[in-house]
Amino acid sequence: MSLTSEVQSRWDSLTKPPGSLGKLEALVKRYALIRGEARPQLARKAMYIFCADHGVVQAGVSAFPQEVTRQMVRNFLNGGAAINVLCRRFGIDPVIVDAGVRGPTPDGVIDRKIAAGTQDFSERPAMTREQAQQSLEAGRELAAEAAGRFDIAGAGEMGIGNTTAASALLSAFTGLDPVDSVGSGTGVGSAGLTRKAEAVRRALTLHHPDPADGIGVLAAIGGFEIGAIAGFVLGAAERRLPVVLDGFISSSAALIVKAIEPAAIDSVIFSHRSAEQAHSRMLAYLNADAYYSLDMRLGEGTGSALTINLLESALALYDGMATFEEAGVSGRE
Amino acid sequence: MSLTSEVQSRWDSLTKPPGSLGKLEALVKRYALIRGEARPQLARKAMYIFCADHGVVQAGVSAFPQEVTRQMVRNFLNGGAAINVLCRRFGIDPVIVDAGVRGPTPDGVIDRKIAAGTQDFSERPAMTREQAQQSLEAGRELAAEAAGRFDIAGAGEMGIGNTTAASALLSAFTGLDPVDSVGSGTGVGSAGLTRKAEAVRRALTLHHPDPADGIGVLAAIGGFEIGAIAGFVLGAAERRLPVVLDGFISSSAALIVKAIEPAAIDSVIFSHRSAEQAHSRMLAYLNADAYYSLDMRLGEGTGSALTINLLESALALYDGMATFEEAGVSGRE
C-alpha cells in the first residue's frame, strides 16, 4: 500500500463521513508524505525569520521607512512582534536570522549577513552572483542544522521593500505585467503602487533576467532573505524537513527553488493565501494550493505559525479520533 | 469614542501595518462588540452539541443509517469523536444535549428530548407548533445557564438526515430551488441527492411554510436540534454571550432566529464556510461572512471549535503585541 493510501485509509477508518475534514486531511497527508511516515509525530517546531534590507526602497516603494527592518529585528528579540506572540502560544521556537540588515547584528540574532542591504535593483543588480550563492548557502546550512533539531520549520521574513522584490520575481518568472504583480504591501497608496510597478518594469528592462537561471534572477532582482529562504527550502528538502512558507514574499523564494531544483517544492507546505493581490497568481504558477485565507498580509511567518497550529490540530484528530470499529458506529449504507 | 473605534485604535497601535491581520482583526472586533468591552477576556469556553433524529431519513436522503445519531452520542460521551479531540486540545468544555434522539438518553447527556425524532416532513409536519416552541425554549434555558458559566459558546449538532432539514429551511426562507439548496451532506450519491431535492420539494408544496412565521417554518420542516440552537442564540443574545455557529446545519438555525428576532444575529460569530454547496447562499442571506474555508463538512461543532481557537490566537495578538511606542518602531511615513 502506498503511503498516500495508508494515510487515507487511516482517515477513512475514523468516525466521520469520508473526506469531511477537507483540507485538514490534505494537510496531514502532505506532512506525512514529506516525513515519509504514515503516522508522523510533530513535537519540535521552529520559525526561522529571515531579515534583510532592500536598496529598492530608494524608489519610494514602501509605506514605512527603511530603519523599520532593524527596529523590527529588535522587536523580535524583545518578543513584542506578532510572530513572537504566535510562537509563544503554539510552542514554536523563533530563530531570527540577519541575512542582510543594515547596521550591526544584535546578540541573539544569527549572523548570516551577506551585505548591508541589497542595491536598488531598479538601477543596478540587487547583488552579485557570488552574493546570491552565499545567501542560498546560508539558508542551506541553517536547514541542515534545523533538520537535526526540529520536526518542522516555518519560514517567515522581515524586510522593508521586499514585496517589491517578490513582485519583480513573480514578473520575471511568469511574464506577468508589473501592474498585476505589485500590490499594496505594508499599505502603500496609489502613487506608491505606481512607483512599485515602474521600479519593477525598469528592473526587468535593465536586467532581462533569464527564468531558467534561478541564481541569476535572484542576483538581479531578489533579496538576501529571499535567497536564504530558497536555500533553506533546498537544504530542508534533502533532509525531509517540512518547510511551511508564509505569504507572498516567502512564497517568492519558492520561485527560485523551482528554477534551481523543482522537486524540492514537494517539501514545502504552503500556508495561507495572503491579501497581497498577486499571491494567487504566484501560488498557481507554483502549482500550490493555500489552506485558507484570512486576508492577512503581515509576513514575519504569521501565516506559517497559524498553519503549523492547524496541522497540529489536524494531527490530533488523525491520531486521537476513534475508529468506526472502536466506537461501535455503523458505516455508510 | 465608539467601541469599534476603540478596538481599531488598539489594533492600529500595534507593531504591524494597519489592517494587516485581516480577518483576525475583524474577529476580535466582533467578539468585543458582542461582549460590550474593548478589551474582553476569553477564558471559559463551551461547545454545545445538540443532537436529534429526523423522520425524513425514511425518504432515503442520508448515506448513513439513522442509528448513527445515537451511536455518535455515545461516541461523544466516550470522547472519541472529532469534536472531543478539538475540545480537549483547545480547553473547551463539551456539553452534549439530547433534543430528540431516538432511544433513551444516556447518563452524562443533558436530557431536553422533545420527542424520539421528528416526523418525515416530506409527508407531514416535522413537529407540532408546541414542540417547535419547546425546542426553542430548551435552547433559551440552556443559554441562560451558559451565560453564567462561559465567556463563549460554540453550537454544533449531530443528527442523521439534518442536512435535508437545513436545505429545506434555506429554500423556505429564500425561495431557492431545492436542486440548489441540497448538497452531498455526509456523502450521499447522485441518486440520494435527487431524493433529497425531491423530499424538500414535496415538503415545500405540502406545507407552504410562511417565511414570516419562524416558529411555523421550524414546525413544518425543521428539527429539534435546529430549534434548540435557534433558541440558544436567542437566549445568548439577551445576555451578551457570543455563540459561534458551526457549518450548514447550525447556520440554518440562524434563519429561524432571523425570522423571530433579527437583532439576535448580531450575537452570532459565524465560523467557516462549509463544503456543503449551499452554505455560501445561506451565509449571504444572513448577511454573514465566514472567516475561512477548509472544505470541512463534518458538523458536531468542529468548525466552531477551530474558530474559537482562532479567536484566542487573535486575542493573544491583540493583547500581547508591542505598540509602536513600546517597541520604538517608526510608523508610516
Side-chain angles (χ1 to χ4, degrees):
Chain A
M1 196 189 281
S2 75
L3 193 51
T4 309
S5 310
E6 225 175 311
V7 173
Q8 193 57 56
S9 159
R10 167 73 189 166
W11 271 128
D12 291 347
S13 73
L14 304 175
T15 43
K16 62 175 186 55
S20 61
L21 281 170
K23 291 185 177 177
L24 298 188
E25 299 189 26
L27 184 52
V28 167
K29 203 177 292 177
R30 183 143 183 122
Y31 181 67
L33 284 176
I34 300 172
R35 297 300 275 169
E37 300 173 51
R39 302 294 293 269
Q41 295 305 298
L42 174 50
R44 304 165 305 162
K45 299 156 277 177
M47 180 62 60
Y48 282 74
I49 312 162
F50 295 91
C51 309
D53 274 307
H54 290 261
V56 73
V57 295
Q58 291 166 17
V61 296
S62 178
F64 284 86
Q66 186 166 48
E67 67 256 28
V68 167
T69 306
R70 184 174 44 77
Q71 292 167 343
M72 284 301 296
V73 169
R74 183 62 64 182
N75 200 16
F76 296 146
L77 269 176
N78 293 339
I83 190 60
N84 298 105
V85 173
L86 294 180
C87 283
R88 281 196 293 274
R89 185 167 159 72
F90 303 144
I92 300 172
D93 293 353
V95 181
I96 313 163
V97 181
D98 178 352
V101 180
R102 288 163 65 104
T105 306
D107 286 348
V109 172
I110 295 180
D111 184 359
R112 299 283 174 158
K113 198 194 295 284
I114 312 298
T118 51
Q119 301 293 308
D120 178 356
F121 62 64
S122 71
E123 297 191 349
R124 63 192 73 87
M127 62 187 89
T128 66
R129 193 170 180 96
E130 290 65 37
Q131 288 176 323
Q133 279 165 326
Q134 283 167 22
S135 70
L136 288 166
E137 194 47 42
R140 277 186 193 273
E141 286 173 15
L142 289 165
E145 193 200 35
R149 292 173 57 202
F150 301 107
D151 299 320
I152 199 166
E157 44 59 46
M158 175 71 216
I160 295 299
N162 65 8
T163 53
T164 304
S167 295
L169 291 168
L170 178 60
S171 281
F173 283 108
T174 68
L176 190 64
D177 191 279
V179 167
D180 296 318
S181 69
V182 300
S184 61
T186 52
V188 80
S190 67
L193 203 58
T194 303
R195 286 194 296 271
K196 276 177 91 161
E198 282 171 0
V200 171
R201 198 181 301 283
R202 279 200 306 279
L204 297 175
T205 308
L206 184 65
H207 308 299
H208 291 294
D210 171 11
D213 175 17
I215 297 173
V217 177
L218 173 61
I221 55 173
F224 296 129
E225 82 283 43
I226 294 172
I229 294 173
F232 192 79
V233 170
L234 290 165
E238 292 169 9
R239 294 168 179 84
R240 292 193 170 279
L241 174 69
V243 177
V244 185
L245 290 181
D246 191 22
F248 186 63
I249 297 136
S250 298
S251 304
S252 79
L255 299 172
I256 294 164
V257 171
K258 182 170 164 149
I260 295 175
E261 179 54 60
I265 300 288
D266 293 342
S267 283
V268 171
I269 295 173
F270 292 91
S271 48
H272 71 122
R273 190 177 302 274
S274 132
E276 186 71 9
Q277 58 137 349
H279 196 206
S280 294
R281 297 291 288 269
M282 191 182 280
L283 290 171
Y285 175 77
L286 292 164
N287 200 20
D289 193 18
Y291 288 92
Y292 58 90
S293 172
L294 288 167
D295 292 342
M296 288 165 60
R297 50 180 174 77
L298 173 52
E300 299 179 4
T302 48
S304 301
L306 289 170
T307 303
I308 290 173
N309 178 50
L310 191 69
L311 171 59
E312 288 197 280
S313 296
L315 282 167
L317 290 161
Y318 182 72
D319 288 328
M321 282 179 69
T323 64
F324 282 99
E325 199 176 326
E326 288 161 357
V329 173
S330 308
R332 297 172 73 171
E333 286 184 315
Chain B
M1 196 189 279
S2 75
L3 193 51
T4 309
S5 310
E6 225 176 312
V7 173
Q8 194 56 58
S9 159
R10 167 72 188 166
W11 272 128
D12 291 347
S13 73
L14 303 175
T15 44
K16 61 175 186 54
S20 61
L21 281 170
K23 291 184 177 176
L24 298 188
E25 299 190 24
L27 184 51
V28 167
K29 202 177 292 176
R30 183 142 183 123
Y31 181 66
L33 284 177
I34 300 173
R35 297 300 274 169
E37 300 173 50
R39 300 296 293 270
Q41 297 305 298
L42 174 51
R44 303 166 306 163
K45 299 156 276 178
M47 181 62 61
Y48 282 74
I49 312 163
F50 295 91
C51 309
D53 273 307
H54 290 261
V56 73
V57 294
Q58 291 166 17
V61 296
S62 179
F64 284 86
Q66 187 166 47
E67 67 257 28
V68 168
T69 306
R70 183 174 44 76
Q71 292 167 343
M72 283 302 295
V73 168
R74 183 63 63 184
N75 200 16
F76 296 146
L77 269 177
N78 293 339
I83 191 60
N84 298 105
V85 173
L86 295 181
C87 283
R88 280 195 294 274
R89 186 166 158 73
F90 303 144
I92 300 173
D93 293 353
V95 181
I96 313 163
V97 180
D98 178 352
V101 180
R102 288 164 64 104
T105 307
D107 286 346
V109 172
I110 294 180
D111 184 359
R112 298 283 174 158
K113 198 193 296 280
I114 312 296
T118 51
Q119 301 293 308
D120 178 357
F121 63 63
S122 71
E123 297 191 349
R124 62 193 74 88
M127 61 187 89
T128 65
R129 192 169 180 97
E130 289 65 37
Q131 287 176 323
Q133 280 165 326
Q134 282 167 23
S135 71
L136 289 167
E137 193 49 41
R140 276 185 192 274
E141 286 173 15
L142 289 166
E145 193 200 36
R149 292 173 57 202
F150 301 107
D151 299 320
I152 199 165
E157 46 57 48
M158 176 69 216
I160 295 300
N162 65 7
T163 52
T164 304
S167 295
L169 290 169
L170 178 59
S171 282
F173 282 109
T174 67
L176 190 65
D177 192 278
V179 166
D180 296 317
S181 68
V182 299
S184 60
T186 53
V188 81
S190 67
L193 203 57
T194 304
R195 286 194 295 272
K196 276 177 92 162
E198 283 170 1
V200 171
R201 199 180 301 283
R202 280 200 305 280
L204 296 175
T205 309
L206 185 65
H207 307 300
H208 290 296
D210 171 10
D213 175 18
I215 297 172
V217 177
L218 172 61
I221 56 174
F224 296 128
E225 82 283 45
I226 294 172
I229 294 173
F232 192 80
V233 170
L234 290 165
E238 294 169 6
R239 294 166 179 86
R240 292 194 168 281
L241 175 69
V243 177
V244 185
L245 289 182
D246 191 21
F248 186 63
I249 297 135
S250 298
S251 304
S252 79
L255 299 171
I256 294 164
V257 172
K258 183 171 162 147
I260 295 175
E261 178 54 60
I265 299 288
D266 293 342
S267 283
V268 171
I269 294 173
F270 292 91
S271 47
H272 71 122
R273 189 177 302 275
S274 134
E276 185 72 10
Q277 57 137 351
H279 196 205
S280 293
R281 297 291 289 267
M282 190 183 280
L283 290 171
Y285 175 76
L286 292 164
N287 199 21
D289 193 17
Y291 288 92
Y292 58 91
S293 173
L294 288 167
D295 293 341
M296 288 165 60
R297 50 179 174 79
L298 174 52
E300 299 179 2
T302 48
S304 300
L306 289 171
T307 303
I308 289 172
N309 179 49
L310 191 69
L311 171 59
E312 288 197 280
S313 296
L315 281 167
L317 290 161
Y318 183 71
D319 287 328
M321 283 179 68
T323 64
F324 282 98
E325 199 177 328
E326 287 161 359
V329 173
S330 307
R332 298 173 72 171
E333 286 183 314

